[in-house]
Amino acid sequence: MRQRPRGDSRGILAPDRMLRQVRFRRHLPAELLRPWIEHYWFVDWELTEPFAQHVVPHPAVNLVFRRDGDDPACGEVAGVGLALFSITLTGVGRVSGVQFRPGGFHPFWHGSVAELTGHRRPLADLAERWPPAREPTGDTCDGTDADRCRRLDALLTGGAPQAGADPVTEEVIRLVEEIRTDRTVLRVDAFARRHGLTTRRLQRLFLERVGVGPKWVIRRYRIQEVIEQATGGPPPDWARLAADLGYSDQAHLVREFSAVTGTSPAAYARSLA
């Protein structure tokens, strides 16, 4: 089990620019919650002019609490985002977020996670489906990071499943993690055979428990790898990177990257200079 939160910026476009404008950090949840929750993420800002941020979403559900100025905090469940997520921040505000592991929200939701895909649902609308939505959440953005972590732990621990109680979901979480970390995973049919599953069975499992199909997950992690490579230093050899990630050629990489981010990989890399 991971002992510290991820330190990469995968999916965040122009992360250095973001860190000059807002305070962003990640924390691990209580140990009981770590099989299903990737990390908590906090963003605080105090801006003199609007700031726009763009993110290529992970194949994960997020629980998000946001407070602008002196307004009360409001909460929502954000299903897997299919498109580029863009937000403009103004004035003073705070966000306390929970990123579930891909597949990790399913035991809390007790239904198909695909119902949430592409949607952001206010907690007030989910009280009948998700018990934590009935709890008071007004202070989730208050206090120190430790205070915020404790409140999120308390909110989620009561509805947490027992480890080993849902072996199918735990298998799906492992499968998605393998796709994320193993760059040789390029085809759904080959990946299904590797794990003794039919392609159809793998697709059903991912749709129900992750919210998107395995092909989408593979493509999304490839795009995030391209973003990471473009962000980490001198621009890579795009043709070689395209071959390493299983694109048919460099033009294929450019088309997919542009469709998701709205710009080409080379133009994105130049924008960071």
Side-chain angles (χ1 to χ4, degrees), residues 67-129:
R67 189 182 71 197
D68 290 281
D70 295 327
D71 293 341
C74 57
E76 64 179 11
V77 172
V80 176
L82 300 177
L84 183 71
F85 174 70
S86 299
I87 189 169
T88 299
L89 303 177
T90 60
V92 177
R94 283 186 159 198
V95 169
S96 295
V98 180
Q99 182 173 309
F100 288 81
R101 295 182 182 278
F105 189 68
H106 182 266
F108 294 82
W109 179 240
H110 304 298
S112 174
V113 180
E115 296 177 57
L116 298 166
T117 299
H119 300 289
R120 305 177 72 84
R121 302 277 298 278
L123 280 184
D125 295 349
L126 300 177
E128 297 303 317
R129 292 288 307 277

Side-chain angles (χ1 to χ4, degrees), residues 17-98:
R17 191 176 305 151
M18 180 193 74
L19 293 175
R20 291 195 294 269
Q21 299 290 332
V22 305
R23 291 184 61 232
F24 173 80
R25 57 263 189 225
R26 297 182 178 120
H27 297 283
L28 289 178
E31 190 165 352
L32 171 68
L33 297 167
R34 293 180 194 177
W36 303 280
I37 294 175
E38 183 84 24
H39 54 247
Y40 298 150
W41 54 273
F42 300 151
V43 182
D44 302 344
W45 65 92
E46 190 170 346
L47 301 168
T48 56
E49 58 185 32
F51 170 68
Q53 180 60 49
H54 310 288
V55 178
V56 176
H58 287 255
V61 173
N62 281 263
L63 173 62
V64 184
F65 299 95
R66 175 171 171 172
R67 189 182 71 197
D68 290 281
D70 295 327
D71 293 341
C74 57
E76 64 179 11
V77 172
V80 176
L82 300 177
L84 183 71
F85 174 70
S86 299
I87 189 169
T88 299
L89 303 177
T90 60
V92 177
R94 283 186 159 198
V95 169
S96 295
V98 180

Side-chain angles (χ1 to χ4, degrees), residues 92-174:
V92 177
R94 283 186 159 198
V95 169
S96 295
V98 180
Q99 182 173 309
F100 288 81
R101 295 182 182 278
F105 189 68
H106 182 266
F108 294 82
W109 179 240
H110 304 298
S112 174
V113 180
E115 296 177 57
L116 298 166
T117 299
H119 300 289
R120 305 177 72 84
R121 302 277 298 278
L123 280 184
D125 295 349
L126 300 177
E128 297 303 317
R129 292 288 307 277
W130 194 46
R134 303 172 192 149
E135 300 297 324
T137 57
D139 60 359
T140 48
C141 293
D142 293 340
T144 65
D145 283 12
D147 293 332
R148 291 155 82 170
C149 286
R150 280 195 298 271
R151 288 162 186 154
L152 291 173
D153 285 342
L155 176 67
L156 294 164
T157 298
Q162 292 185 342
D166 185 1
V168 176
T169 288
E170 292 174 8
E171 178 188 14
V172 171
I173 291 172
R174 288 193 296 270

